[in-house]
Amino acid sequence: RLAESPVRTAADWDTFRRLLRYLRMLHDNFARADAQAAESDAQLRAARGRAEAEMQSLRVNEGALASQLRELHRALAAERAAREAADAHRWTLASELERASTE
């Protein structure tokens, strides 16, 4: 109705003011929604940054732990080899003693 004819009466002005209030309310709601979306995006970017930093830290820790594990495996293998060599030496000595005692 307002688009068809100019505002002429007090009722027309009242309707026009209500329309302006409604449009202002819509504008404010959209502005709040945009601000909330921007804040959410900022929080998401910050959380993503923290998660990436934590993942990098975990990768570094994982690498250090893997290195330690490899070193422990090497030490265990060396200990096992030394034990097997000592056992073989004992068997050799025991065999030689047995042979010497039977002769």
XYZ file of all heavy atoms in Angstrom:
816
model
N 0.816 -1.195 0.000
C 0.000 0.000 0.000
C 0.857 1.255 0.000
O 0.558 2.217 -0.691
C -0.900 -0.049 1.233
C -2.026 0.917 1.208
C -2.965 0.665 2.346
N -2.993 1.849 3.163
C -3.512 1.924 4.340
N -4.039 0.868 4.890
N -3.529 3.031 4.981
N 1.957 1.223 0.775
C 2.815 2.403 0.839
C 3.551 2.626 -0.482
O 3.828 3.748 -0.864
C 3.832 2.259 1.973
C 3.247 2.337 3.381
C 4.322 2.036 4.405
C 2.654 3.711 3.632
N 3.868 1.541 -1.175
C 4.584 1.682 -2.436
C 3.693 2.288 -3.511
O 4.190 2.907 -4.434
C 5.091 0.307 -2.882
N 2.417 2.098 -3.371
C 1.488 2.604 -4.394
C 1.168 4.077 -4.219
O 0.936 4.775 -5.186
C 0.190 1.792 -4.348
C 0.395 0.328 -4.693
C -0.849 -0.493 -4.427
O -1.867 0.072 -4.008
O -0.778 -1.709 -4.612
N 1.094 4.530 -2.998
C 0.699 5.924 -2.767
C 1.600 6.556 -1.731
O 2.158 5.881 -0.892
C -0.763 5.979 -2.302
O -0.872 5.344 -1.045
N 1.749 7.845 -1.770
C 2.575 8.519 -0.769
C 1.914 8.449 0.608
O 0.719 8.228 0.741
C 2.653 9.955 -1.272
C 1.518 10.113 -2.213
C 1.188 8.762 -2.745
N 2.741 8.619 1.635
C 2.241 8.611 3.020
C 1.455 9.895 3.229
O 1.981 10.989 3.066
C 3.431 8.520 4.004
C 2.938 8.570 5.434
C 4.249 7.263 3.744
N 0.175 9.744 3.620
C -0.672 10.933 3.743
C -1.281 11.084 5.126
O -1.432 12.199 5.603
C -1.820 10.868 2.727
C -1.320 10.941 1.316
C -2.445 10.974 0.366
N -1.881 10.914 -0.988
C -2.537 10.711 -2.065
N -3.834 10.550 -2.018
N -1.950 10.665 -3.227
N -1.624 10.009 5.761
C -2.352 10.108 7.033
C -1.454 9.688 8.187
O -0.375 9.118 7.999
C -3.593 9.199 7.013
O -3.143 7.844 6.952
C -4.489 9.525 5.841
N -1.934 9.953 9.397
C -1.205 9.547 10.605
C -1.078 8.031 10.651
O -0.038 7.496 11.066
C -1.926 10.066 11.845
N -2.115 7.324 10.216
C -2.059 5.857 10.190
C -0.990 5.395 9.205
O -0.263 4.420 9.466
C -3.425 5.288 9.810
N -0.894 6.092 8.071
C 0.138 5.740 7.104
C 1.531 5.954 7.708
O 2.430 5.135 7.526
C 0.003 6.582 5.840
C -1.230 6.189 5.019
O -1.732 5.059 5.197
O -1.662 7.022 4.199
N 1.695 7.074 8.427
C 2.979 7.343 9.081
C 3.278 6.285 10.138
O 4.423 5.831 10.267
C 2.991 8.733 9.721
C 3.276 9.819 8.729
C 2.416 10.762 8.281
C 4.518 10.034 8.058
N 3.020 11.570 7.357
C 4.335 11.137 7.202
C 5.756 9.430 8.072
C 5.342 11.647 6.386
C 6.758 9.934 7.263
C 6.547 11.022 6.428
N 2.256 5.878 10.884
C 2.430 4.847 11.907
C 2.849 3.525 11.256
O 3.774 2.852 11.727
C 1.128 4.675 12.697
C 1.311 3.756 13.878
O 2.305 3.949 14.621
O 0.497 2.821 14.046
N 2.207 3.175 10.164
C 2.565 1.950 9.441
C 3.991 2.049 8.902
O 4.770 1.101 8.989
C 1.567 1.706 8.286
O 0.252 1.613 8.822
C 1.893 0.446 7.535
N 4.329 3.221 8.382
C 5.666 3.432 7.845
C 6.724 3.318 8.941
O 7.770 2.694 8.754
C 5.724 4.808 7.165
C 7.026 5.099 6.497
C 7.441 4.367 5.389
C 7.855 6.110 6.978
C 8.644 4.633 4.766
C 9.062 6.379 6.361
C 9.462 5.640 5.251
N 6.440 3.896 10.119
C 7.376 3.811 11.247
C 7.535 2.371 11.714
O 8.646 1.912 12.021
C 6.913 4.709 12.396
C 7.263 6.180 12.193
C 7.043 6.995 13.459
N 5.633 7.114 13.807
C 4.804 8.045 13.334
N 5.249 8.947 12.489
N 3.549 8.082 13.703
N 6.423 1.605 11.757
C 6.511 0.181 12.143
C 7.351 -0.602 11.139
O 8.146 -1.453 11.502
C 5.112 -0.428 12.258
C 4.486 -0.112 13.619
C 3.177 -0.837 13.834
N 2.142 -0.033 13.174
C 1.166 -0.503 12.428
N 1.021 -1.777 12.257
N 0.296 0.300 11.863
N 7.172 -0.270 9.863
C 7.972 -0.922 8.832
C 9.458 -0.593 9.017
O 10.321 -1.471 8.930
C 7.506 -0.484 7.433
C 8.342 -1.010 6.260
C 8.276 -2.527 6.190
C 7.870 -0.390 4.964
N 9.766 0.662 9.300
C 11.163 1.049 9.540
C 11.732 0.347 10.775
O 12.884 -0.111 10.756
C 11.275 2.568 9.693
C 11.074 3.385 8.419
C 11.150 4.878 8.738
C 12.106 3.005 7.365
N 10.928 0.263 11.870
C 11.375 -0.450 13.078
C 11.649 -1.918 12.764
O 12.635 -2.494 13.205
C 10.352 -0.316 14.195
C 10.442 0.981 14.963
C 9.655 0.935 16.255
N 8.236 0.666 16.039
C 7.302 1.597 15.856
N 7.624 2.863 15.889
N 6.045 1.264 15.670
N 10.765 -2.527 11.967
C 10.920 -3.934 11.592
C 12.194 -4.121 10.760
O 12.974 -5.042 10.990
C 9.686 -4.411 10.812
C 9.787 -5.853 10.369
C 9.651 -6.887 11.291
C 10.016 -6.161 9.034
C 9.751 -8.209 10.878
C 10.116 -7.474 8.620
C 9.982 -8.500 9.541
O 10.082 -9.796 9.141
N 12.406 -3.198 9.803
C 13.615 -3.277 8.990
C 14.874 -3.065 9.831
O 15.889 -3.747 9.629
C 13.556 -2.258 7.852
C 12.508 -2.545 6.765
C 12.449 -1.378 5.776
C 12.800 -3.849 6.051
N 14.814 -2.139 10.810
C 15.949 -1.913 11.704
C 16.212 -3.155 12.542
O 17.360 -3.549 12.737
C 15.683 -0.718 12.617
C 16.917 -0.351 13.428
C 16.745 0.892 14.303
N 15.751 1.817 13.846
C 14.716 2.250 14.607
N 14.569 1.837 15.833
N 13.853 3.110 14.119
N 15.123 -3.802 13.024
C 15.259 -5.023 13.805
C 15.917 -6.125 12.954
O 16.826 -6.823 13.401
C 13.905 -5.502 14.320
C 13.993 -6.769 15.147
S 12.398 -7.575 15.380
C 12.027 -8.083 13.711
N 15.460 -6.263 11.699
C 16.066 -7.252 10.809
C 17.548 -6.954 10.582
O 18.402 -7.848 10.625
C 15.338 -7.284 9.463
C 13.973 -7.950 9.434
C 13.365 -7.817 8.043
C 14.084 -9.419 9.823
N 17.846 -5.678 10.341
C 19.234 -5.278 10.133
C 20.078 -5.598 11.366
O 21.184 -6.147 11.252
C 19.299 -3.776 9.807
C 20.693 -3.291 9.625
N 21.448 -2.790 10.648
C 21.483 -3.257 8.522
C 22.632 -2.467 10.203
N 22.682 -2.722 8.907
N 19.579 -5.267 12.540
C 20.311 -5.546 13.779
C 20.509 -7.052 13.974
O 21.587 -7.500 14.394
C 19.580 -4.958 14.987
C 19.590 -3.439 14.994
O 20.382 -2.840 14.216
O 18.798 -2.842 15.748
N 19.457 -7.829 13.678
C 19.579 -9.287 13.815
C 20.637 -9.842 12.866
O 21.441 -10.698 13.244
C 18.240 -9.976 13.566
C 17.265 -9.785 14.707
O 17.651 -9.424 15.808
N 15.991 -10.011 14.436
N 20.621 -9.354 11.618
C 21.637 -9.804 10.666
C 23.032 -9.365 11.106
O 23.998 -10.116 10.973
C 21.339 -9.302 9.255
C 20.290 -10.103 8.548
C 19.098 -9.517 8.164
C 20.490 -11.452 8.270
C 18.124 -10.261 7.503
C 19.521 -12.194 7.610
C 18.332 -11.593 7.231
N 23.149 -8.156 11.626
C 24.449 -7.667 12.097
C 24.949 -8.518 13.257
O 26.141 -8.876 13.314
C 24.347 -6.202 12.514
N 24.052 -8.859 14.204
C 24.442 -9.733 15.328
C 24.857 -11.114 14.820
O 25.847 -11.687 15.273
C 23.295 -9.871 16.332
C 23.290 -8.794 17.403
C 22.359 -9.150 18.553
N 20.968 -9.322 18.152
C 20.107 -8.341 17.942
N 20.499 -7.090 18.101
N 18.863 -8.590 17.602
N 24.083 -11.647 13.877
C 24.410 -12.967 13.328
C 25.769 -12.933 12.630
O 26.577 -13.860 12.780
C 23.318 -13.433 12.368
N 26.045 -11.866 11.882
C 27.351 -11.720 11.223
C 28.474 -11.630 12.258
O 29.536 -12.242 12.091
C 27.383 -10.487 10.325
C 26.604 -10.687 9.034
O 26.313 -11.855 8.683
O 26.314 -9.673 8.367
N 28.244 -10.854 13.326
C 29.266 -10.711 14.367
C 29.508 -12.051 15.066
O 30.661 -12.418 15.334
C 28.835 -9.655 15.385
N 28.433 -12.782 15.350
C 28.581 -14.097 15.981
C 29.304 -15.069 15.060
O 30.155 -15.844 15.501
C 27.223 -14.665 16.381
C 26.588 -13.949 17.554
C 25.154 -14.389 17.799
O 24.541 -15.038 16.961
N 24.620 -14.019 18.961
N 28.998 -15.016 13.773
C 29.676 -15.888 12.811
C 31.162 -15.542 12.742
O 32.009 -16.438 12.704
C 29.032 -15.768 11.438
N 31.474 -14.249 12.744
C 32.879 -13.835 12.705
C 33.604 -14.284 13.971
O 34.743 -14.767 13.910
C 32.978 -12.320 12.551
N 32.943 -14.160 15.119
C 33.546 -14.603 16.379
C 33.745 -16.119 16.373
O 34.795 -16.625 16.778
C 32.671 -14.194 17.561
C 33.259 -14.570 18.909
C 32.373 -14.145 20.074
O 31.524 -13.255 19.889
O 32.537 -14.725 21.149
N 32.752 -16.836 15.890
C 32.870 -18.295 15.803
C 33.997 -18.700 14.872
O 34.766 -19.622 15.168
C 31.558 -18.914 15.321
O 30.537 -18.719 16.259
N 34.111 -17.994 13.742
C 35.210 -18.274 12.808
C 36.561 -18.017 13.466
O 37.501 -18.810 13.302
C 35.081 -17.422 11.547
C 33.980 -17.902 10.621
O 33.485 -19.032 10.813
O 33.616 -17.152 9.704
N 36.658 -16.930 14.214
C 37.917 -16.612 14.894
C 38.240 -17.686 15.933
O 39.395 -18.123 16.050
C 37.830 -15.241 15.557
N 37.230 -18.114 16.682
C 37.450 -19.169 17.675
C 37.855 -20.468 16.990
O 38.736 -21.191 17.474
C 36.196 -19.383 18.517
C 35.901 -18.242 19.462
C 34.558 -18.397 20.154
O 33.786 -19.281 19.831
N 34.297 -17.532 21.112
N 37.223 -20.767 15.871
C 37.562 -21.975 15.129
C 38.995 -21.920 14.603
O 39.746 -22.891 14.693
C 36.576 -22.171 13.975
C 36.772 -23.412 13.115
C 36.646 -24.683 13.948
C 35.751 -23.429 11.989
N 39.384 -20.767 14.062
C 40.764 -20.619 13.579
C 41.758 -20.779 14.727
O 42.799 -21.427 14.579
C 40.951 -19.270 12.896
C 40.420 -19.229 11.469
C 40.870 -17.969 10.738
N 40.443 -16.739 11.382
C 39.240 -16.178 11.220
N 38.358 -16.732 10.419
N 38.934 -15.063 11.838
N 41.432 -20.197 15.888
C 42.324 -20.316 17.049
C 42.410 -21.775 17.511
O 43.499 -22.278 17.804
C 41.827 -19.426 18.186
N 41.273 -22.450 17.563
C 41.267 -23.864 17.973
C 42.040 -24.708 16.973
O 42.802 -25.604 17.355
C 39.829 -24.363 18.105
N 41.864 -24.419 15.702
C 42.595 -25.155 14.667
C 44.097 -24.910 14.818
O 44.902 -25.837 14.695
C 42.118 -24.725 13.288
C 42.686 -25.572 12.163
C 42.096 -25.210 10.818
N 40.693 -25.577 10.764
C 39.726 -24.832 10.262
N 40.011 -23.643 9.741
N 38.479 -25.237 10.249
N 44.480 -23.680 15.103
C 45.897 -23.364 15.313
C 46.467 -24.111 16.513
O 47.578 -24.646 16.445
N 45.689 -24.150 17.613
C 46.145 -24.894 18.798
C 46.268 -26.381 18.479
O 47.224 -27.039 18.898
C 45.195 -24.674 19.970
C 45.289 -23.292 20.593
C 44.500 -23.189 21.883
N 43.093 -23.488 21.724
C 42.153 -22.615 21.412
N 42.495 -21.354 21.204
N 40.885 -22.972 21.300
N 45.295 -26.924 17.749
C 45.325 -28.349 17.400
C 46.527 -28.658 16.511
O 47.196 -29.684 16.694
C 44.021 -28.754 16.715
N 46.824 -27.774 15.553
C 47.977 -27.986 14.680
C 49.279 -27.929 15.476
O 50.183 -28.736 15.250
C 47.983 -26.963 13.554
C 46.916 -27.218 12.507
C 46.798 -26.103 11.480
O 47.544 -25.102 11.574
O 45.949 -26.240 10.580
N 49.362 -27.002 16.426
C 50.563 -26.906 17.261
C 50.710 -28.160 18.122
O 51.819 -28.688 18.285
C 50.487 -25.661 18.149
N 49.599 -28.640 18.649
C 49.643 -29.855 19.461
C 50.049 -31.062 18.614
O 50.839 -31.900 19.048
C 48.279 -30.108 20.114
C 48.279 -31.263 21.085
C 46.965 -31.417 21.819
O 46.212 -30.438 21.932
O 46.698 -32.534 22.289
N 49.516 -31.141 17.394
C 49.883 -32.242 16.507
C 51.375 -32.186 16.175
O 52.046 -33.209 16.153
C 49.052 -32.196 15.216
C 47.614 -32.638 15.387
S 47.451 -34.327 15.970
C 48.169 -35.211 14.615
N 51.887 -30.982 15.939
C 53.322 -30.838 15.657
C 54.128 -31.288 16.871
O 55.125 -31.997 16.725
C 53.650 -29.381 15.298
C 55.104 -29.144 14.996
C 55.600 -29.930 13.796
O 54.847 -30.248 12.888
N 56.878 -30.258 13.801
N 53.692 -30.896 18.049
C 54.375 -31.313 19.273
C 54.334 -32.829 19.428
O 55.328 -33.452 19.793
C 53.717 -30.639 20.479
O 54.264 -31.148 21.669
N 53.176 -33.412 19.118
C 53.060 -34.869 19.207
C 53.971 -35.556 18.197
O 54.572 -36.589 18.494
C 51.609 -35.301 18.991
C 50.638 -34.963 20.124
C 49.211 -35.299 19.725
C 51.016 -35.682 21.401
N 54.079 -34.991 16.992
C 54.971 -35.566 15.983
C 56.418 -35.526 16.466
O 57.170 -36.481 16.297
C 54.841 -34.818 14.658
C 53.662 -35.264 13.841
C 53.686 -34.634 12.446
N 52.321 -34.342 12.089
C 51.775 -33.143 11.993
N 52.497 -32.076 12.175
N 50.515 -32.989 11.684
N 56.816 -34.395 17.068
C 58.176 -34.271 17.590
C 58.386 -35.292 18.706
O 59.398 -36.003 18.723
C 58.441 -32.830 18.092
C 59.727 -32.755 18.886
C 58.478 -31.871 16.911
N 57.412 -35.374 19.634
C 57.516 -36.344 20.727
C 57.524 -37.769 20.197
O 58.267 -38.612 20.692
C 56.366 -36.165 21.717
C 56.492 -34.894 22.532
O 57.575 -34.332 22.634
N 55.402 -34.429 23.087
N 56.697 -38.027 19.197
C 56.641 -39.364 18.610
C 57.983 -39.715 17.985
O 58.483 -40.839 18.125
C 55.534 -39.429 17.564
C 55.367 -40.788 16.928
C 54.287 -40.800 15.867
O 53.745 -39.722 15.532
O 53.985 -41.892 15.372
N 58.590 -38.757 17.310
C 59.903 -38.990 16.713
C 60.951 -39.278 17.778
O 61.781 -40.185 17.623
N 60.923 -38.515 18.867
C 61.879 -38.732 19.951
C 61.657 -40.099 20.593
O 62.616 -40.823 20.881
C 61.751 -37.622 20.995
N 60.397 -40.453 20.807
C 60.094 -41.755 21.405
C 60.506 -42.889 20.477
O 61.032 -43.917 20.931
C 58.610 -41.858 21.750
C 58.148 -40.995 22.919
C 56.628 -41.063 23.058
C 58.814 -41.434 24.207
N 60.286 -42.726 19.185
C 60.684 -43.753 18.222
C 62.199 -43.924 18.239
O 62.710 -45.050 18.188
C 60.193 -43.384 16.825
N 62.924 -42.829 18.337
C 64.382 -42.891 18.404
C 64.830 -43.617 19.666
O 65.727 -44.471 19.623
C 64.956 -41.471 18.372
O 66.351 -41.508 18.525
N 64.198 -43.294 20.787
C 64.529 -43.976 22.044
C 64.206 -45.460 21.950
O 64.984 -46.300 22.433
C 63.767 -43.353 23.210
C 64.260 -41.985 23.593
C 63.414 -41.356 24.686
O 62.362 -41.881 25.046
N 63.870 -40.237 25.217
N 63.084 -45.790 21.336
C 62.694 -47.186 21.198
C 63.709 -47.946 20.339
O 64.101 -49.070 20.673
C 61.291 -47.285 20.597
C 60.708 -48.685 20.450
C 60.607 -49.365 21.809
C 59.347 -48.610 19.785
N 64.161 -47.332 19.242
C 65.180 -47.974 18.403
C 66.465 -48.203 19.192
O 67.097 -49.262 19.106
C 65.462 -47.122 17.161
C 64.392 -47.237 16.091
C 64.834 -46.572 14.789
N 65.104 -45.145 14.912
C 64.181 -44.196 14.827
N 62.912 -44.504 14.604
N 64.508 -42.930 14.948
N 66.846 -47.208 19.989
C 68.061 -47.335 20.804
C 67.894 -48.457 21.837
O 68.820 -49.250 22.057
C 68.372 -46.003 21.499
C 69.711 -45.963 22.171
C 70.872 -46.214 21.232
O 70.830 -45.767 20.068
O 71.826 -46.874 21.672
N 66.735 -48.550 22.445
C 66.484 -49.622 23.418
C 66.502 -50.988 22.738
O 67.028 -51.959 23.305
C 65.144 -49.400 24.130
C 65.120 -48.239 25.124
C 63.693 -48.006 25.621
C 66.049 -48.519 26.291
N 65.956 -51.073 21.533
C 65.993 -52.335 20.791
C 67.438 -52.733 20.476
O 67.805 -53.904 20.595
C 65.183 -52.243 19.494
C 63.727 -52.452 19.680
N 63.189 -53.632 20.124
C 62.675 -51.616 19.491
C 61.883 -53.522 20.202
N 61.533 -52.310 19.821
N 68.255 -51.751 20.087
C 69.670 -52.028 19.819
C 70.369 -52.532 21.080
O 71.136 -53.497 21.046
C 70.369 -50.770 19.293
C 70.180 -50.564 17.824
C 71.079 -49.421 17.309
N 70.273 -48.655 16.392
C 69.850 -47.403 16.565
N 70.223 -46.726 17.610
N 69.090 -46.816 15.686
N 70.120 -51.846 22.201
C 70.745 -52.248 23.469
C 70.289 -53.650 23.874
O 71.100 -54.466 24.335
C 70.405 -51.238 24.563
N 69.018 -53.939 23.700
C 68.494 -55.267 24.035
C 69.116 -56.335 23.142
O 69.502 -57.411 23.624
C 66.972 -55.276 23.889
C 66.247 -56.561 24.252
C 66.497 -56.932 25.702
C 64.747 -56.403 23.998
N 69.242 -56.050 21.858
C 69.853 -57.001 20.928
C 71.318 -57.240 21.306
O 71.797 -58.383 21.283
C 69.737 -56.498 19.492
N 72.019 -56.166 21.682
C 73.421 -56.313 22.086
C 73.522 -57.135 23.368
O 74.393 -58.008 23.488
C 74.055 -54.936 22.281
N 72.631 -56.898 24.303
C 72.626 -57.662 25.557
C 72.321 -59.129 25.283
O 72.972 -60.032 25.832
C 71.595 -57.073 26.518
C 71.581 -57.744 27.874
C 70.544 -57.135 28.803
O 70.281 -55.926 28.687
O 70.004 -57.892 29.619
N 71.357 -59.376 24.421
C 70.999 -60.758 24.072
C 72.182 -61.454 23.392
O 72.508 -62.601 23.701
C 69.784 -60.778 23.157
C 69.283 -62.185 22.871
C 68.072 -62.205 21.950
N 66.980 -61.397 22.467
C 66.355 -60.440 21.765
N 66.708 -60.195 20.516
N 65.386 -59.751 22.290
N 72.849 -60.754 22.475
C 74.004 -61.330 21.789
C 75.126 -61.622 22.778
O 75.769 -62.691 22.713
C 74.491 -60.385 20.690
N 75.354 -60.705 23.721
C 76.397 -60.922 24.731
C 76.050 -62.119 25.608
O 76.917 -62.933 25.942
C 76.574 -59.659 25.575
N 74.782 -62.233 25.994
C 74.340 -63.358 26.822
C 74.499 -64.672 26.061
O 74.972 -65.668 26.615
C 72.886 -63.169 27.250
C 72.479 -64.171 28.319
C 71.062 -63.967 28.829
N 70.836 -62.599 29.265
C 69.804 -61.866 28.896
N 68.884 -62.357 28.090
N 69.660 -60.633 29.322
N 74.124 -64.676 24.784
C 74.254 -65.890 23.972
C 75.731 -66.258 23.788
O 76.091 -67.444 23.834
C 73.565 -65.705 22.623
C 72.058 -65.690 22.727
C 71.358 -65.329 21.427
O 72.052 -65.034 20.418
O 70.115 -65.333 21.416
N 76.572 -65.252 23.615
C 78.010 -65.514 23.479
C 78.563 -66.083 24.787
O 79.375 -67.022 24.776
C 78.747 -64.241 23.091
N 78.125 -65.529 25.918
C 78.586 -66.034 27.220
C 78.103 -67.466 27.432
O 78.863 -68.321 27.920
C 78.088 -65.123 28.345
N 76.839 -67.736 27.066
C 76.320 -69.104 27.186
C 77.108 -70.064 26.304
O 77.470 -71.176 26.737
C 74.835 -69.162 26.814
C 73.941 -68.532 27.858
O 74.423 -68.299 28.993
O 72.758 -68.267 27.543
N 77.414 -69.652 25.085
C 78.181 -70.500 24.169
C 79.569 -70.748 24.728
O 80.091 -71.868 24.660
C 78.259 -69.838 22.792
N 80.166 -69.719 25.324
C 81.496 -69.869 25.910
C 81.440 -70.846 27.090
O 82.330 -71.695 27.237
C 82.032 -68.501 26.348
C 83.415 -68.543 26.883
N 84.511 -68.846 26.113
C 83.897 -68.327 28.145
C 85.586 -68.823 26.854
N 85.240 -68.497 28.096
N 80.406 -70.735 27.914
C 80.254 -71.666 29.048
C 80.094 -73.095 28.559
O 80.672 -74.021 29.132
C 79.063 -71.270 29.908
C 79.478 -70.333 31.017
C 78.333 -70.007 31.907
N 77.828 -68.748 31.318
C 76.617 -68.299 31.415
N 75.725 -68.945 32.071
N 76.276 -67.173 30.846
N 79.305 -73.278 27.506
C 79.120 -74.631 26.961
C 80.440 -75.181 26.423
O 80.766 -76.362 26.609
C 78.070 -74.645 25.849
C 76.674 -74.666 26.388
C 75.815 -73.658 26.466
C 76.016 -75.797 26.940
N 74.635 -74.051 27.037
C 74.738 -75.372 27.342
C 76.391 -77.131 27.165
C 73.818 -76.234 27.935
C 75.473 -77.982 27.754
C 74.200 -77.535 28.138
N 81.188 -74.291 25.788
C 82.483 -74.715 25.260
C 83.402 -75.125 26.409
O 84.054 -76.183 26.361
C 83.131 -73.584 24.442
O 82.246 -73.212 23.396
C 84.472 -73.992 23.867
N 83.451 -74.300 27.455
C 84.289 -74.628 28.615
C 83.817 -75.909 29.286
O 84.639 -76.768 29.668
C 84.288 -73.486 29.628
C 85.046 -72.226 29.241
C 84.886 -71.153 30.312
C 86.513 -72.533 29.013
N 82.516 -76.075 29.426
C 81.976 -77.278 30.058
C 82.316 -78.509 29.231
O 82.694 -79.565 29.780
C 80.468 -77.152 30.235
N 82.244 -78.394 27.922
C 82.581 -79.521 27.042
C 84.050 -79.860 27.153
O 84.436 -81.040 27.208
C 82.249 -79.192 25.588
O 80.875 -79.006 25.428
N 84.902 -78.828 27.191
C 86.330 -79.069 27.306
C 86.670 -79.705 28.652
O 87.509 -80.607 28.723
C 87.111 -77.764 27.122
C 87.104 -77.258 25.697
C 87.777 -75.899 25.552
O 88.310 -75.370 26.559
O 87.769 -75.367 24.431
N 86.012 -79.259 29.735
C 86.246 -79.836 31.061
C 85.795 -81.292 31.099
O 86.477 -82.149 31.684
C 85.518 -79.039 32.148
C 86.160 -77.722 32.530
C 85.266 -76.973 33.513
C 87.531 -77.955 33.162
N 84.655 -81.556 30.477
C 84.138 -82.925 30.457
C 85.097 -83.819 29.672
O 85.393 -84.953 30.082
C 82.753 -82.951 29.830
C 82.101 -84.294 29.877
C 80.705 -84.270 29.289
O 79.999 -83.256 29.452
O 80.338 -85.255 28.645
N 85.576 -83.319 28.532
C 86.510 -84.088 27.727
C 87.813 -84.306 28.483
O 88.386 -85.405 28.463
C 86.789 -83.317 26.430
C 86.987 -84.257 25.273
C 87.173 -83.540 23.942
N 86.101 -82.578 23.671
C 86.299 -81.362 23.223
N 87.519 -80.930 22.949
N 85.309 -80.554 23.009
N 88.277 -83.270 29.176
C 89.533 -83.370 29.923
C 89.392 -84.356 31.079
O 90.332 -85.074 31.419
C 89.969 -82.013 30.432
N 88.214 -84.416 31.698
C 88.037 -85.308 32.837
C 87.868 -86.755 32.401
O 88.162 -87.678 33.162
C 86.830 -84.877 33.681
O 85.650 -85.068 32.930
N 87.429 -86.963 31.186
C 87.268 -88.345 30.686
C 88.557 -88.877 30.124
O 88.719 -90.070 29.938
C 86.169 -88.426 29.617
O 86.488 -87.560 28.556
C 84.819 -88.151 30.180
N 89.505 -88.056 29.832
C 90.771 -88.519 29.264
C 91.748 -88.898 30.300
O 91.905 -88.891 31.350
C 91.400 -87.417 28.407
C 90.600 -87.138 27.190
C 91.210 -86.009 26.372
O 92.211 -85.417 26.750
O 90.644 -85.711 25.331
